[in-house]
Amino acid sequence: MYQNHTFILFLLKILQGSLIGLGAVLPGISGGVLCVVFGIYPTIMAFLADPLHHFKSHMPKLLPIGIGGIIGFLGIANLLSVLLEKYPAPSVCVFIGLIVGMLPSLFREAGEKGRDGKSYTAMYLAMGIVFSLLVILQLSSVEITPGFVWFIFCGCCLALSVIVPGMSFSTLLMPLGLYEPFVSGIGHMDFSILIPGGIGALATLVLLSRVINNLFAHHYSIAFHAIIGIVIAATIMIIPFSSFTESPEAFTTNIICLCLGGIASLLLDRFNRKFSFE
């Protein structure tokens, strides 16, 4: 009976990791947010901040999650590039629904250690700054040719989406025209993209994981509410407003996709709260 329970728990952790892998690559979604929702963010950050010291205690918990993360990340990348090309607006609407459905659980986690005026100030300030930067970025005529250095940048953004909850790498890459070639390269196992992307991701994890871990350890509420502000601003920026007015059919399809994403996200949160993954 105990062995069956252990095996089921192992499979659930792989499923959990697969969803985190999906969140890491899906537009507008952060793998870090899913780590928080699943309650494994502190474990991951403690391991990344000091892997040698926490290897024996944390690796058994993180191994199945890592396996699932690779499956989810690589398994969805190629499919995602096809969906974004053929059904851009409905796909993005599903992603937006997923994010909106996650906000209640994210807000709940942010207030776990209390919240005050500084927390809300951090949230509104982060929202305003990120929204302004993204608007400026979209309005500017930036033309970028994807290459080795830019794919290192993509890897850095990808790592940030895991260690900084709410930070979606697609939000940064889409306005620069780097998201689709990066995701397509991952899906097709293109080493000219995987190698620089891996270098950027590894460097970011090594250099910033300890900083981020300390930030959450000493300023949990302020940091988390700032992240909520980032999530809200980034979500607003990816809403395909023009597609809602193309036709009644497009409007209906987008609304349905929004609802499906939101329902899926709420069910995922309910599933996580019902089952213990520790």
Side-chain angles (χ1 to χ4, degrees):
M1 186 71 177
Y2 177 76
Q3 289 182 342
N4 289 337
H5 175 75
T6 302
F7 180 70
I8 292 174
L9 190 62
F10 185 84
L11 292 179
L12 288 175
K13 283 178 178 266
I14 289 180
L15 173 61
Q16 203 176 35
S18 298
L19 293 171
I20 292 171
L22 290 174
V25 72
L26 288 175
I29 301 178
S30 164
V33 168
L34 291 175
C35 290
V36 171
V37 171
F38 289 138
I40 60 173
Y41 182 77
T43 304
I44 291 176
M45 292 307 299
F47 175 77
L48 291 175
D50 192 356
L52 294 178
H53 184 263
H54 292 105
F55 187 84
K56 288 186 178 180
S57 59
H58 288 51
M59 182 52 69
K61 300 177 183 178
L62 297 178
L63 180 60
I65 292 172
I67 294 172
I70 294 173
I71 294 172
F73 186 83
L74 296 179
I76 195 64
N78 201 28
L79 174 62
L80 185 61
S81 63
V82 174
L83 289 176
L84 283 172
E85 182 179 352
K86 292 188 175 181
Y87 313 103
S91 299
V92 172
C93 285
V94 172
F95 306 146
I96 293 171
L98 286 168
I99 300 168
V100 173
M102 259 189 243
L103 284 176
S105 62
L106 190 60
F107 196 75
R108 184 176 64 247
E109 292 286 342
E112 193 175 81
K113 298 183 180 180
R115 58 178 120 240
D116 54 22
K118 293 181 180 179
S119 303
Y120 288 105
T121 299
M123 182 175 72
Y124 295 129
L125 187 61
M127 188 190 310
I129 291 174
V130 172
F131 185 78
S132 299
L133 288 175
L134 291 175
V135 169
I136 293 172
L137 191 61
Q138 286 199 355
L139 292 178
S140 62
S141 54
V142 179
E143 292 186 8
I144 291 176
T145 302
F148 190 87
V149 175
W150 280 113
F151 288 134
I152 290 179
F153 172 75
C154 292
C156 294
C157 294
L158 177 60
L160 283 175
S161 74
V162 176
I163 64 176
V164 182
M167 184 68 71
S168 171
F169 86 104
S170 62
T171 304
L172 300 174
L173 300 188
M174 276 185 169
L176 300 175
L178 293 171
Y179 180 77
E180 289 191 25
F182 186 59
V183 170
S184 179
I186 293 172
H188 291 89
M189 297 297 290
D190 185 344
F191 285 96
S192 67
I193 294 176
L194 290 175
I195 291 175
I199 292 173
L202 183 60
T204 302
L205 291 175
V206 171
L207 295 175
L208 294 183
S209 58
R210 188 183 294 270
V211 175
I212 300 297
N213 192 43
N214 289 335
L215 179 64
F216 275 85
H218 297 98
H219 305 284
Y220 182 90
S221 181
I222 291 176
F224 231 122
H225 282 81
I227 284 166
I228 293 177
I230 294 172
V231 172
I232 294 173
T235 303
I236 292 173
M237 289 303 300
I238 65 171
I239 297 176
F241 290 104
S242 60
S243 68
F244 282 86
T245 58
E246 289 178 356
S247 66
E249 292 79 9
F251 178 85
T252 303
T253 300
N254 289 343
I255 292 297
I256 292 174
C257 289
L258 283 169
C259 293
L260 288 175
I263 292 171
S265 188
L266 292 172
L267 290 175
L268 182 62
D269 180 46
R270 183 178 179 183
F271 173 81
N272 178 66
R273 296 173 69 183
K274 182 177 180 180
F275 292 95
S276 173
F277 293 95
E278 297 296 330

